[in-house]
Amino acid sequence: MASGSTFGKLLTLTTWGESHGAGIGAVLDGFPAGMELSPPDIQKYLDRRKPGQSAAASPRKEDDQVEILSGVFKGKTTGTPISLLIRNTSQRSGDYGNLKDCFRPGHADYTYYAKYGFRDYRGGGRSSARETAARVAGGAVAAKFLKEMGIDVCAYTRSIGPVVIDEERFDRALITQTPTCMPDPEADRAAMEYIRQCREMKDSIGSSVECRITGVPAGIGDPVFDKLDARLAQAVMSLGAAKAVEIGDGTAVSEALGSQNNDPFYMEGGEVSKRSNHAGGILGGISDGSPIIVRVYFKPTPSIFREQETVDEAGNERNLTIAGRHDPVIAPRAGVVVECMCALTILDALLMNMTSRADDVRRFYEREQ
Amino acid sequence: MASGSTFGKLLTLTTWGESHGAGIGAVLDGFPAGMELSPPDIQKYLDRRKPGQSAAASPRKEDDQVEILSGVFKGKTTGTPISLLIRNTSQRSGDYGNLKDCFRPGHADYTYYAKYGFRDYRGGGRSSARETAARVAGGAVAAKFLKEMGIDVCAYTRSIGPVVIDEERFDRALITQTPTCMPDPEADRAAMEYIRQCREMKDSIGSSVECRITGVPAGIGDPVFDKLDARLAQAVMSLGAAKAVEIGDGTAVSEALGSQNNDPFYMEGGEVSKRSNHAGGILGGISDGSPIIVRVYFKPTPSIFREQETVDEAGNERNLTIAGRHDPVIAPRAGVVVECMCALTILDALLMNMTSRADDVRRFYEREQ
Amino acid sequence: MASGSTFGKLLTLTTWGESHGAGIGAVLDGFPAGMELSPPDIQKYLDRRKPGQSAAASPRKEDDQVEILSGVFKGKTTGTPISLLIRNTSQRSGDYGNLKDCFRPGHADYTYYAKYGFRDYRGGGRSSARETAARVAGGAVAAKFLKEMGIDVCAYTRSIGPVVIDEERFDRALITQTPTCMPDPEADRAAMEYIRQCREMKDSIGSSVECRITGVPAGIGDPVFDKLDARLAQAVMSLGAAKAVEIGDGTAVSEALGSQNNDPFYMEGGEVSKRSNHAGGILGGISDGSPIIVRVYFKPTPSIFREQETVDEAGNERNLTIAGRHDPVIAPRAGVVVECMCALTILDALLMNMTSRADDVRRFYEREQ
Amino acid sequence: MASGSTFGKLLTLTTWGESHGAGIGAVLDGFPAGMELSPPDIQKYLDRRKPGQSAAASPRKEDDQVEILSGVFKGKTTGTPISLLIRNTSQRSGDYGNLKDCFRPGHADYTYYAKYGFRDYRGGGRSSARETAARVAGGAVAAKFLKEMGIDVCAYTRSIGPVVIDEERFDRALITQTPTCMPDPEADRAAMEYIRQCREMKDSIGSSVECRITGVPAGIGDPVFDKLDARLAQAVMSLGAAKAVEIGDGTAVSEALGSQNNDPFYMEGGEVSKRSNHAGGILGGISDGSPIIVRVYFKPTPSIFREQETVDEAGNERNLTIAGRHDPVIAPRAGVVVECMCALTILDALLMNMTSRADDVRRFYEREQ
């Protein structure tokens, strides 16, 4: 699947759709048959991504009602492609009319134009963050199955500008309750105040999301190019505003010593365990049974309301002021997208792993017969 | 190519081989016909990766002579798979004998065992960094073609422990001359002193590599999941010791404001240009014509000479002391690997791009006929 | 794309949907930007596949109106995924109610059940020939582009039971006019009479389709496993009722001598030409410039109205009589599907070929800059 | 893996190498860990393909000794890529010297030249049937594992020119004993006499191979584009001289009636069985538990010793007489290649199938923990 709209190996998600077209959607193929699935299972993930919910997000209303078009029969997955459709309903085309021949700084307008010689200028077209709703729709299906297998994928806002959550105050319930999706009430308040100040200055703010994945058994992931961390890195760096990804201690490892960074093994309850988790749950690209820790860093929303210097398609320099409804910061709505991308990656790796050992293959087919 | 030993879409590199087996190798498929290629083109890249060259690297001798087994005829590539073979010659099996049932902390011994139920314990087997020599062999071919097209891929050691290069002193010629592969003579000296101290304490050191790619035209990369930065992230995070990757300003974007982070467009010499390059040359996953900046952070070499706590395959807790010849720090030998992985990623994206526009396809076949 | 619902390498078609679900659809990714496309371009292909048009087809009415959900802006393709939706409108669920726990002979009921342990029994679910409407929708887009490049893909009914067309009477205009889609008026009449007789006996009839592809330049296709004929074979054998495929002289080559079968080369108008075309336009898996000839053989429609012996999910032997609306013979409606699958295969190979030569790559990027 | 030298989805075989280069080889990735494997397991398959064994084959001597370079440790597969090398030893370059600028009729000389603008003219280079030795090396590994699981893949010469085997006289032991690899002693004798006559006339002969695969459980294969028969068709049509493929009754279905062609189901020993096997073991692209029957039709060897009309690279018409050592008929040496391609296809489908059901996935990971 060369053209970039498909993710995954055994479990593949293909997304399609533009910000201001008829709708967006996803086709999830390779999902095992027999799991119970109904629209509310997906809708609750989409609702977490919806704008218009707080001062930390755009006042835009997007209904984002998902329709399951195929792959489910009598409330269960059939093993065939699950097609998911979200009609676009809330586009105000007028908002974007004045941008149609200008390249917005920080956006993909210029690069799409350079690649295709032609672009859908309405709301960024295919490069709009709206595309991630389709990822959430597909990822929700994977997340449901992981949950049934005791694997928890949990993402939350880790920082907004200079405000970083404090692990000591971590309260998971807050993730879906605070406007910032931070699991720390004090950081949430401080971040909301910071957002208020920046909005006053017509500016936007950088942020980061952390994702913790627990319950993944040791041994998951593929060697060499498809290491589990390499796949997770691709998964989250494929979000338009992501500029960095860390696994475990991340960039800090570059200043550590080996005696600090190595996680000693010991036995606990008959299981191989680690005394620390600097590795973030992955060694040599394969899970080690500890929580998998992924952090993603997002640039400030490129749509700001200050006047900006830019050029247009005809090569004229122009001053541009963007109007419309835009999130001031990306993390609050991106957390659930990160969660869904990680869920897809982990489930794909779990499926791959079932064929790693000749004994497992033999045992599977002996049972079959 | 599900099992992880293949990278790329149109241009694919498959590597094979273990640290202490008969050899390692690579098959590069999809490389265009008609480029001049001979073993020295590849050997000079492999020589940059060789150990035993300085106090910043293992005293191990690996000859790493490459043999081109196919895909080249009369000194030119034929368009068919280029098979590259590097025989293993310098393995001292005795060095690893005492490790055969112990899981070395920080290594993939335990995770490979958990995945496959069985492992080649000699020098880490397939998970050994020796596998990256095969990537260098294949990547050198891509780098040569990029160079012919005016695209420069240049990686170097950016930091070793707390010692970071100073951009003001950047001297490219030093990359292949300093023992650290740092382009800054003062940082090189300070880093060598730091390495000396750590080795005395039987410890190893974290590090980072930076790669600058210049000459890539705007418009290269694929949307959504195969964004150019997402592919670069997978490419470099697939190196065993990598724990973080940054594009452009990287993690720092999370504390920036939109008005700081957006790169204004202007016209220069009839070309769309940017006043700054916080984006690191990529917008919405597609190149914008500015230099592409990638940074990779490596953990300290997990093989340290201090006694470490661990467990063995039978589930016994053990104290382990590793002997042998190991690099104290990863960046100096990893720079050329990062360069080669980036070269493969960029060339693949360039090839993909030739089919992006209907007009180009029509023009190509009109010319043909 | 492991799970089977995606076809192609650079140009990929993913289909989804079941016979009696909400609808069926296709996502075509990798299609070049800038080609004019509107629903009628696709609808005219779908209309050729529609049932209810003659005594050679089911009296079922399927409206099969296509909606383009994405990938087209201002009447042109944008280079991003083209999502195509066909709502199901004409399903009479009652028709299939009595089949819900029986395995129809010749159908995929039993094999889907064996694979997934669970199946959508309504009209065959995913295994229904209705899925091919999604292929036609996607293939029509490829066919339009090929036509613009002077490549003609033309499929027609070659035989129905014992009635085979006579090349001497070949009249292309008849393909879309005769009820059998045969290009020979006499064969059409004879075949219609044969169909009438078989229907009286509550039986169905085998058939074959031939596809001629002209205008493909020499040099198209990939070596070894992705030979153009191997890809065409997969493309057409992936139709549910196909049981054989031939290229050029097909099975007859097994009784030929080399001196008969080799096509001598000669020069004509400065071009390399062949005195005959036993090879069917492909040598060593790569096009030779002659017409590409593909033949597909279809089994009789497995839904027959006679009582048949079978078993049910509980393992009871049962006598089954199928009611409903079924085509008596497959070729008349399958021709356009074969045409579309061939168009997708050829366009994909044409795109792949643009990167085969280093000189072409260099020239492309010199022009770019 | 776009460029055509890789086959398979979970289990992938990549081949490389030219007829007269340093050697040929294969990389088999995705093979499960823990199966016993040593060079003789592979060598015995390669020996079946060797030329120089009878009057039905070329008198050329190719030693074809395989070396396992990776992926096996202590006599067992490790789950990592199995790299297989066969050095070329017997090439007489002189034999081909006079062909270096001529396009041999029936060969890929012209089409490779048209594609790449440059070709390795020595013995056909990459398009040589010698490439299939690498397929046999990789396929032998798959075949061994299938055999351990009770799945038998058995291919043999079905016809040579007009001489077809008689099922009544089928004697499996003869496949590896007769010079024609026919399982019927009378057909073998008649075919050898026919070969003798044709060789006298400096001509070559068409032929066909049949492959029977028994022991495959029902439910194997993927829907839609990756139907098991579609994959088998690609697998065998990717052999250079193959011009047709049939599954089950093959082309004959086009003249059958539905009441003849449908295989009635019944129960036997508590298992779903079929009263006949017109379907050749595959319904709707998925195995039904009956023997899978594949037939491949090969054109006469294009290298004949009569003078032929052709053209050269400069566009001159030329008369060409081919010397050298060439098989008069393809089937005898191709049978083992067909067997190996089918083994790879079936094992890949078996691995894919392990993830088809949610219950199986859950059960696998419950057992793991």
Side-chain angles (χ1 to χ4, degrees):
Chain A
M1 287 299 292
S3 294
S5 291
T6 299
F7 183 76
K9 305 200 291 181
L10 274 182
L11 177 72
T12 51
L13 184 76
T14 300
T15 73
W16 55 265
E18 286 85 36
S19 176
H20 285 56
I24 57 170
V27 181
L28 184 67
D29 196 16
F31 195 86
M35 188 189 78
E36 293 188 6
L37 184 70
S38 62
D41 295 322
I42 296 170
Q43 197 61 50
K44 68 183 175 199
Y45 279 80
L46 282 171
D47 290 348
R48 285 171 59 193
R49 195 197 151 277
K50 262 205 295 206
Q53 299 177 312
S54 83
S58 157
R60 222 161 53 236
K61 283 264 160 57
E62 289 173 6
D63 237 8
D64 285 359
Q65 290 296 316
V66 70
E67 185 183 0
I68 301 177
L69 294 173
S70 69
V72 175
F73 180 58
K74 300 210 161 177
K76 287 188 178 172
T77 58
T78 61
T80 64
I82 301 170
S83 178
L84 303 167
L85 171 63
I86 301 167
R87 290 273 178 187
N88 288 338
T89 55
S90 154
Q91 288 61 37
R92 303 191 206 158
S93 293
D95 286 5
Y96 295 96
N98 65 326
L99 301 174
K100 75 181 180 183
D101 57 358
C102 255
F103 301 134
R104 292 168 299 164
H107 279 282
D109 299 344
Y110 169 57
T111 55
Y112 268 61
Y113 184 76
K115 180 176 178 69
Y116 297 113
F118 172 67
R119 69 195 173 91
D120 180 348
Y121 50 72
R122 301 165 305 166
R126 181 72 178 144
S127 71
S128 166
R130 180 151 180 72
E131 178 271 334
T132 62
R135 304 186 189 208
V136 170
V141 183
K144 180 175 196 291
F145 193 37
L146 290 180
K147 194 167 289 176
E148 291 179 17
M149 288 195 286
I151 295 172
D152 181 56
V153 184
C154 173
Y156 42 84
T157 301
R158 183 185 156 275
S159 73
I160 287 180
V163 183
V164 185
I165 59 166
D166 182 336
E167 298 265 327
E168 304 283 308
R169 287 192 296 264
F170 192 99
D171 178 354
R172 181 175 179 158
L174 295 179
I175 298 171
T176 52
Q177 294 171 13
T178 55
T180 58
C181 300
M182 281 175 151
D184 165 354
E186 292 188 29
D188 175 63
R189 273 188 293 276
M192 287 303 292
E193 173 56 21
Y194 184 73
I195 290 171
R196 197 191 54 75
Q197 290 169 14
C198 295
R199 295 188 90 156
E200 261 178 30
M201 297 183 305
K202 300 186 175 180
D203 219 329
S204 64
I205 306 128
S207 56
S208 68
V209 162
E210 188 167 79
C211 187
R212 295 187 189 183
I213 309 161
T214 53
V216 178
I220 306 303
D222 288 293
V224 188
F225 300 110
D226 287 350
K227 289 185 165 80
L228 190 56
D229 34 6
R231 297 288 295 170
L232 287 165
Q234 183 194 352
V236 298
M237 286 294 282
S238 75
L239 300 173
K243 300 304 284 185
V245 59
E246 297 183 313
I247 302 293
D249 283 5
T251 60
V253 299
S254 70
E255 301 196 34
L257 296 173
S259 58
Q260 298 161 338
N261 188 257
N262 282 352
D263 302 310
F265 290 112
Y266 74 108
M267 297 302 293
E268 181 167 299
E271 295 283 310
V272 174
S273 302
K274 286 159 49 200
R275 298 240 181 250
S276 51
N277 189 19
H278 299 291
I282 300 176
L283 284 170
I286 298 176
S287 65
D288 65 15
S290 299
I292 295 171
I293 309 296
V294 183
R295 269 181 304 280
V296 201
Y297 293 81
F298 294 105
K299 68 181 182 185
T301 316
S303 286
I304 58 175
F305 303 119
R306 295 181 177 198
E307 190 179 77
Q308 296 181 85
E309 187 185 355
T310 192
V311 303
D312 64 19
E313 290 186 11
N316 303 307
E317 301 195 340
R318 297 265 292 265
N319 286 326
L320 174 75
T321 306
I322 294 174
R325 304 155 297 172
H326 305 286
D327 297 322
V329 59
I330 284 167
R333 291 180 60 206
V336 66
V337 186
V338 169
E339 202 170 297
C340 285
M341 290 304 300
C342 289
L344 288 164
T345 308
I346 296 292
L347 180 53
D348 196 22
L350 285 165
L351 296 181
M352 282 293 304
N353 222 53
M354 292 175 69
T355 66
S356 297
R357 301 183 187 190
D359 279 352
D360 289 337
V361 179
R362 278 191 205 101
R363 198 176 299 124
F364 183 86
Y365 283 105
E366 277 159 18
R367 188 174 54 71
E368 283 290 293
Q369 285 160 344
Chain B
M1 287 298 293
S3 293
S5 292
T6 299
F7 183 76
K9 303 200 293 182
L10 274 182
L11 177 72
T12 51
L13 184 75
T14 300
T15 74
W16 56 265
E18 286 86 36
S19 175
H20 284 58
I24 59 172
V27 181
L28 184 67
D29 196 17
F31 194 87
M35 187 189 78
E36 292 189 4
L37 183 70
S38 63
D41 295 322
I42 297 170
Q43 196 61 49
K44 69 183 173 199
Y45 279 81
L46 282 171
D47 290 349
R48 284 171 59 193
R49 196 197 150 276
K50 261 205 296 204
Q53 298 177 312
S54 83
S58 157
R60 223 161 53 235
K61 282 265 162 57
E62 289 172 6
D63 237 8
D64 284 359
Q65 290 296 316
V66 70
E67 184 183 0
I68 301 176
L69 294 173
S70 69
V72 174
F73 180 57
K74 299 208 161 177
K76 286 188 178 173
T77 58
T78 61
T80 63
I82 301 170
S83 177
L84 303 167
L85 171 64
I86 301 167
R87 290 273 178 187
N88 289 336
T89 53
S90 155
Q91 289 59 39
R92 303 192 204 157
S93 292
D95 286 5
Y96 295 95
N98 65 327
L99 301 174
K100 75 180 181 182
D101 56 359
C102 255
F103 301 133
R104 291 168 300 164
H107 279 282
D109 299 344
Y110 169 57
T111 56
Y112 268 61
Y113 184 75
K115 180 175 178 69
Y116 297 113
F118 172 67
R119 69 195 173 91
D120 179 346
Y121 49 72
R122 301 165 306 167
R126 180 73 176 143
S127 72
S128 166
R130 181 153 179 71
E131 178 271 333
T132 62
R135 304 186 188 209
V136 170
V141 182
K144 180 175 196 291
F145 192 38
L146 291 180
K147 193 167 290 176
E148 292 179 18
M149 288 195 285
I151 295 172
D152 181 55
V153 185
C154 173
Y156 42 85
T157 301
R158 184 185 155 275
S159 74
I160 288 180
V163 182
V164 185
I165 58 166
D166 183 336
E167 297 266 327
E168 305 283 309
R169 288 191 295 263
F170 191 99
D171 179 353
R172 182 174 179 159
L174 295 180
I175 298 171
T176 51
Q177 293 170 13
T178 55
T180 60
C181 298
M182 280 173 152
D184 165 355
E186 293 187 29
D188 175 63
R189 274 188 293 275
M192 287 304 291
E193 172 57 21
Y194 184 72
I195 291 170
R196 198 192 54 74
Q197 290 167 15
C198 294
R199 294 187 93 156
E200 261 178 29
M201 296 183 306
K202 300 185 176 179
D203 219 329
S204 65
I205 306 130
S207 56
S208 68
V209 162
E210 189 167 77
C211 187
R212 294 185 190 186
I213 309 160
T214 53
V216 177
I220 306 303
D222 289 293
V224 188
F225 300 110
D226 288 349
K227 289 185 165 81
L228 190 55
D229 35 6
R231 297 288 295 170
L232 286 166
Q234 184 194 352
V236 297
M237 286 293 282
S238 74
L239 300 173
K243 301 303 285 186
V245 60
E246 296 183 314
I247 302 294
D249 283 5
T251 60
V253 298
S254 70
E255 301 196 33
L257 295 173
S259 58
Q260 298 162 337
N261 188 256
N262 282 353
D263 301 311
F265 290 112
Y266 73 109
M267 297 302 293
E268 182 167 300
E271 295 282 310
V272 175
S273 302
K274 286 159 50 198
R275 296 240 183 252
S276 51
N277 190 18
H278 299 293
I282 300 176
L283 284 170
I286 298 175
S287 65
D288 65 16
S290 298
I292 295 171
I293 310 296
V294 184
R295 270 182 301 281
V296 202
Y297 293 81
F298 293 105
K299 67 182 184 184
T301 317
S303 287
I304 58 175
F305 303 119
R306 295 182 179 197
E307 190 180 77
Q308 295 181 86
E309 187 184 356
T310 193
V311 301
D312 64 19
E313 290 186 11
N316 304 307
E317 300 194 340
R318 299 264 293 262
N319 286 325
L320 173 75
T321 305
I322 294 173
R325 304 154 298 172
H326 305 286
D327 296 321
V329 58
I330 284 168
R333 292 180 59 207
V336 67
V337 186
V338 169
E339 202 170 298
C340 285
M341 289 305 299
C342 290
L344 288 164
T345 308
I346 296 293
L347 181 53
D348 196 21
L350 286 165
L351 296 180
M352 281 295 303
N353 219 53
M354 292 175 69
T355 66
S356 296
R357 301 182 186 192
D359 279 352
D360 289 337
V361 179
R362 278 191 206 100
R363 198 174 300 126
F364 183 86
Y365 283 104
E366 277 158 18
R367 189 175 54 73
E368 283 289 294
Q369 286 160 343
Chain C
M1 288 299 292
S3 293
S5 292
T6 299
F7 183 75
K9 305 200 293 182
L10 275 182
L11 177 72
T12 51
L13 184 76
T14 300
T15 73
W16 55 264
E18 285 85 38
S19 174
H20 285 58
I24 58 170
V27 182
L28 184 68
D29 197 16
F31 194 86
M35 187 190 77
E36 293 189 6
L37 184 70
S38 62
D41 295 322
I42 297 170
Q43 196 62 49
K44 69 183 173 200
Y45 280 81
L46 282 172
D47 290 348
R48 284 172 58 194
R49 194 197 151 277
K50 261 205 296 204
Q53 299 178 311
S54 83
S58 157
R60 225 162 51 236
K61 281 265 161 58
E62 289 173 5
D63 237 9
D64 284 359
Q65 288 297 316
V66 70
E67 185 183 0
I68 301 177
L69 295 172
S70 69
V72 174
F73 181 58
K74 300 207 161 177
K76 286 187 178 172
T77 58
T78 62
T80 63
I82 301 171
S83 178
L84 303 167
L85 171 64
I86 301 166
R87 291 274 178 185
N88 288 336
T89 54
S90 156
Q91 288 61 39
R92 303 192 204 157
S93 293
D95 286 4
Y96 296 95
N98 65 327
L99 301 174
K100 76 180 182 184
D101 56 359
C102 256
F103 300 135
R104 292 169 298 166
H107 278 282
D109 299 344
Y110 169 58
T111 56
Y112 268 62
Y113 184 75
K115 180 175 178 69
Y116 297 114
F118 172 67
R119 70 195 172 93
D120 180 346
Y121 50 72
R122 301 166 306 168
R126 181 71 176 145
S127 71
S128 166
R130 181 153 178 70
E131 179 272 331
T132 61
R135 304 186 188 208
V136 170
V141 183
K144 180 176 196 291
F145 193 36
L146 290 180
K147 194 167 290 178
E148 291 179 18
M149 288 195 286
I151 295 171
D152 180 55
V153 184
C154 172
Y156 43 84
T157 301
R158 185 184 155 275
S159 73
I160 287 180
V163 182
V164 185
I165 58 168
D166 183 335
E167 298 266 327
E168 305 284 308
R169 288 191 294 263
F170 192 97
D171 179 352
R172 182 175 178 159
L174 295 180
I175 298 172
T176 51
Q177 294 171 13
T178 55
T180 59
C181 299
M182 280 174 152
D184 166 354
E186 292 187 30
D188 175 64
R189 272 188 294 275
M192 286 304 291
E193 173 57 21
Y194 184 72
I195 291 171
R196 197 191 56 73
Q197 291 168 13
C198 295
R199 293 187 92 157
E200 261 177 30
M201 297 183 305
K202 300 187 175 180
D203 219 329
S204 64
I205 307 129
S207 56
S208 67
V209 162
E210 189 167 77
C211 187
R212 294 186 189 185
I213 310 161
T214 53
V216 177
I220 307 303
D222 289 293
V224 188
F225 301 109
D226 289 349
K227 289 185 165 81
L228 190 55
D229 35 5
R231 298 288 294 170
L232 287 166
Q234 184 194 352
V236 298
M237 285 294 281
S238 74
L239 300 173
K243 301 304 285 186
V245 59
E246 296 182 314
I247 303 293
D249 283 4
T251 59
V253 297
S254 69
E255 300 195 34
L257 296 174
S259 58
Q260 298 162 336
N261 188 255
N262 282 352
D263 302 311
F265 291 112
Y266 73 109
M267 297 302 294
E268 181 167 302
E271 296 281 309
V272 174
S273 302
K274 286 159 49 200
R275 297 239 182 250
S276 52
N277 189 19
H278 299 292
I282 300 176
L283 284 171
I286 298 177
S287 65
D288 64 16
S290 299
I292 295 171
I293 309 295
V294 184
R295 269 182 303 281
V296 201
Y297 293 81
F298 294 105
K299 67 182 184 186
T301 317
S303 287
I304 57 175
F305 303 119
R306 296 183 178 195
E307 190 180 78
Q308 295 181 87
E309 187 185 356
T310 192
V311 301
D312 65 19
E313 291 187 10
N316 303 308
E317 300 195 341
R318 298 263 294 263
N319 285 326
L320 174 75
T321 306
I322 294 174
R325 303 156 299 172
H326 305 286
D327 295 323
V329 59
I330 284 168
R333 293 180 59 207
V336 66
V337 186
V338 169
E339 200 170 298
C340 285
M341 289 305 300
C342 290
L344 288 164
T345 307
I346 297 292
L347 180 52
D348 196 21
L350 286 164
L351 297 180
M352 281 296 303
N353 221 53
M354 292 175 69
T355 66
S356 297
R357 300 183 187 190
D359 278 353
D360 289 337
V361 179
R362 278 191 204 99
R363 198 175 300 125
F364 183 87
Y365 283 105
E366 276 159 19
R367 188 175 54 73
E368 284 289 295
Q369 284 162 347
Chain D
M1 288 298 293
S3 293
S5 292
T6 298
F7 184 77
K9 303 200 294 182
L10 274 181
L11 177 72
T12 51
L13 184 75
T14 300
T15 73
W16 55 264
E18 285 86 36
S19 175
H20 284 58
I24 58 170
V27 181
L28 184 68
D29 196 16
F31 194 86
M35 187 189 77
E36 292 189 5
L37 184 69
S38 63
D41 295 322
I42 297 169
Q43 197 61 50
K44 68 183 173 198
Y45 280 80
L46 282 171
D47 289 349
R48 285 172 58 194
R49 194 197 151 276
K50 262 203 298 203
Q53 298 177 313
S54 82
S58 157
R60 222 162 52 235
K61 281 265 162 59
E62 289 173 7
D63 236 8
D64 284 0
Q65 289 297 315
V66 70
E67 185 183 0
I68 301 176
L69 294 172
S70 69
V72 175
F73 181 57
K74 300 208 161 178
K76 286 187 178 174
T77 58
T78 62
T80 63
I82 300 171
S83 177
L84 304 167
L85 172 63
I86 301 166
R87 291 274 178 187
N88 288 338
T89 54
S90 154
Q91 288 62 38
R92 302 193 205 157
S93 292
D95 286 3
Y96 296 95
N98 64 326
L99 301 174
K100 76 182 180 183
D101 56 359
C102 255
F103 301 134
R104 293 169 297 166
H107 278 281
D109 299 344
Y110 169 57
T111 56
Y112 269 61
Y113 184 75
K115 179 175 179 70
Y116 297 114
F118 173 66
R119 69 194 173 93
D120 180 347
Y121 50 72
R122 301 166 305 168
R126 181 71 177 146
S127 72
S128 166
R130 179 151 179 72
E131 179 272 333
T132 61
R135 305 186 188 207
V136 170
V141 183
K144 180 175 196 291
F145 193 36
L146 290 180
K147 193 168 289 178
E148 291 179 18
M149 288 195 285
I151 295 171
D152 181 55
V153 184
C154 173
Y156 42 85
T157 301
R158 183 184 155 277
S159 73
I160 287 180
V163 182
V164 185
I165 58 167
D166 182 336
E167 296 266 327
E168 305 283 308
R169 288 191 296 264
F170 192 98
D171 178 353
R172 181 175 179 157
L174 294 180
I175 299 171
T176 51
Q177 293 170 13
T178 55
T180 59
C181 299
M182 280 175 151
D184 166 354
E186 292 187 29
D188 175 62
R189 271 188 295 274
M192 288 303 292
E193 173 56 21
Y194 185 72
I195 291 171
R196 197 191 55 74
Q197 290 168 14
C198 295
R199 295 188 90 157
E200 261 177 29
M201 297 183 305
K202 299 186 177 182
D203 219 328
S204 64
I205 306 129
S207 55
S208 68
V209 162
E210 188 166 77
C211 186
R212 295 187 188 184
I213 310 161
T214 53
V216 177
I220 306 303
D222 289 293
V224 188
F225 300 109
D226 288 349
K227 289 185 165 79
L228 191 55
D229 34 7
R231 296 289 295 171
L232 287 166
Q234 184 193 353
V236 297
M237 285 293 282
S238 74
L239 300 174
K243 300 304 285 186
V245 59
E246 297 182 312
I247 303 292
D249 282 5
T251 59
V253 299
S254 70
E255 301 196 34
L257 296 173
S259 58
Q260 298 162 337
N261 189 255
N262 281 352
D263 302 310
F265 291 112
Y266 72 109
M267 298 301 294
E268 180 166 302
E271 295 283 309
V272 175
S273 301
K274 284 159 50 200
R275 298 238 182 252
S276 53
N277 189 21
H278 299 292
I282 300 176
L283 284 170
I286 299 177
S287 65
D288 65 16
S290 299
I292 295 170
I293 309 297
V294 184
R295 269 182 304 279
V296 201
Y297 293 81
F298 294 105
K299 67 182 182 185
T301 316
S303 287
I304 57 174
F305 303 119
R306 295 181 178 197
E307 190 180 75
Q308 295 181 88
E309 187 185 355
T310 192
V311 302
D312 65 19
E313 291 187 10
N316 304 307
E317 301 194 340
R318 299 263 293 262
N319 286 325
L320 174 74
T321 306
I322 294 174
R325 305 155 297 172
H326 304 287
D327 297 322
V329 58
I330 284 169
R333 292 180 59 206
V336 66
V337 186
V338 169
E339 199 170 300
C340 284
M341 289 306 298
C342 290
L344 289 163
T345 307
I346 296 292
L347 180 53
D348 197 20
L350 286 164
L351 297 180
M352 282 294 304
N353 219 52
M354 293 175 68
T355 66
S356 297
R357 301 184 186 190
D359 279 352
D360 289 337
V361 179
R362 279 191 204 100
R363 197 175 300 126
F364 183 85
Y365 283 104
E366 277 159 18
R367 188 174 55 71
E368 282 290 293
Q369 284 161 346

